[in-house]
Amino acid sequence: MAKLILSMDGLVLKEYALTKERTSVGRKPDNDIQIDNLAVSGDHAVIVTILNDSFLEDLDSTNGTLVNGQPVKKHFLQNNDIIELGKYRLKYVSEQTGQATTADFEKTMMLRPGAMKAGMAAAAVAAPAASQSTVVGDTTVDQGPALATHSAAAPAPAPVPAERVGMLQILTGGNAGREMELTKSLTTLGKPGVQVAVITRRPQGYFITHVEGAQFPVLNGKTLDAQAHALDDHAVIELAGVKMEFFFKA
């Protein structure tokens, strides 16, 4: 089980086991990890833990968040990473191995109706080419719900033998029919600040988990809870106003 070790000036203050799917960090007392210091924002950051993986997201904090001395917005946590918030340090400790690489979380593609068509086509072409990098900046269009999808800036990891590759097909809206391969260890879907879920790829299959938002995703007509749910072939997902189908590539 992963944990965070809080310290200041080399003195260990407390340890926090990452037993929750979403662990909040900030100055406000309702945070899971409260740091009562003016350098820390009220809602500073969040650590999302899915199965054995955790990633950090800065919540537009005033002074920002550093990991190993570098400012980050979103960062896949690896063993012994040091999260810096002012004078405080949170050391990430995990005994798990075989984690996905940081590259899986470096780039986020923001797609809205009108901009989604070109972006989805580019992602579909780039995904199968292991030697091709996909570098996509945020695309902003002033209308409609957003669909956020992680794409890597590095070659995709080699597929696990005999492991089937999942696909997503958009079913509603002007982009109905568009498809995308789920080749990465973790794919984020949704509209940040409104509704976000992640699909994780494991040797035993694909799983969807709610991450952010008051509304939970709907899977095959049933509203999900906070647990990870396995995706069966031809499962229908409703998220952030978009309906999509998950299926395995033939």
Side-chain angles (χ1 to χ4, degrees):
M1 179 184 298
K3 63 182 178 180
L4 292 171
I5 302 174
L6 178 65
S7 65
M8 184 180 68
D9 297 329
L11 177 65
V12 174
L13 303 176
K14 195 170 182 180
E15 292 188 4
Y16 300 88
L18 295 177
T19 57
K20 298 176 60 178
E21 179 184 309
R22 183 181 176 89
T23 302
S24 59
V25 183
R27 195 175 67 252
K28 292 180 180 178
D30 59 349
N31 282 286
D32 298 303
I33 301 176
Q34 184 193 12
I35 302 177
D36 190 9
N37 185 278
L38 292 177
V40 179
S41 296
D43 296 304
H44 196 103
V46 65
I47 294 97
V48 177
T49 301
I50 308 297
L51 300 178
N52 297 326
D53 297 331
S54 297
F55 63 92
L56 166 76
E57 182 174 1
D58 180 84
L59 300 177
D60 295 322
S61 62
T62 302
N63 295 314
T65 302
L66 303 181
V67 175
N68 302 327
Q70 300 297 318
V72 300
K73 176 61 179 176
K74 182 174 290 187
H75 175 80
F76 180 75
L77 290 169
Q78 301 182 72
N79 193 37
N80 294 323
D81 274 352
I82 303 296
I83 304 168
E84 302 176 46
L85 304 95
K87 295 182 179 181
Y88 289 83
R89 304 289 184 270
L90 283 168
K91 182 177 181 179
Y92 176 76
V93 179
S94 175
E95 298 179 355
Q96 300 294 336
T97 58
Q99 293 178 314
T101 62
T102 307
D104 288 344
F105 302 89
E106 287 181 347
K107 297 295 178 181
T108 300
M109 188 185 341
M110 300 298 300
L111 299 175
R112 301 177 188 272
M116 186 185 293
K117 185 176 182 180
M120 288 292 285
V125 171
S131 62
Q132 183 176 359
S133 296
T134 305
V135 181
V136 184
D138 288 352
T139 302
T140 303
V141 178
D142 298 328
Q143 67 207 29
L147 175 64
T149 304
H150 281 282
S151 61
V160 179
E163 183 179 356
R164 294 185 295 174
V165 175
M167 301 282 294
L168 274 182
Q169 182 181 52
I170 306 300
L171 300 178
T172 59
N175 298 284
R178 297 292 171 181
E179 296 182 355
M180 177 179 59
E181 286 190 355
L182 301 176
T183 57
K184 302 303 175 186
S185 298
L186 186 149
T187 301
T188 301
L189 302 171
K191 185 176 182 180
V194 177
Q195 189 180 28
V196 177
V198 294
I199 294 178
T200 52
R201 185 186 185 190
R202 298 290 170 180
Q204 63 268 39
Y206 288 80
F207 295 81
I208 184 170
T209 309
H210 175 74
V211 173
E212 179 183 353
Q215 297 292 326
F216 281 63
V218 175
L219 179 63
N220 296 327
K222 181 180 179 181
T223 302
L224 299 181
D225 53 24
Q227 304 302 313
H229 291 264
L231 289 173
D232 296 324
D233 199 15
H234 299 296
V236 176
I237 303 166
E238 297 178 53
L239 178 73
V242 177
K243 183 178 291 187
M244 61 200 82
E245 180 184 3
F246 170 85
F247 62 96
F248 287 104
K249 186 176 180 180

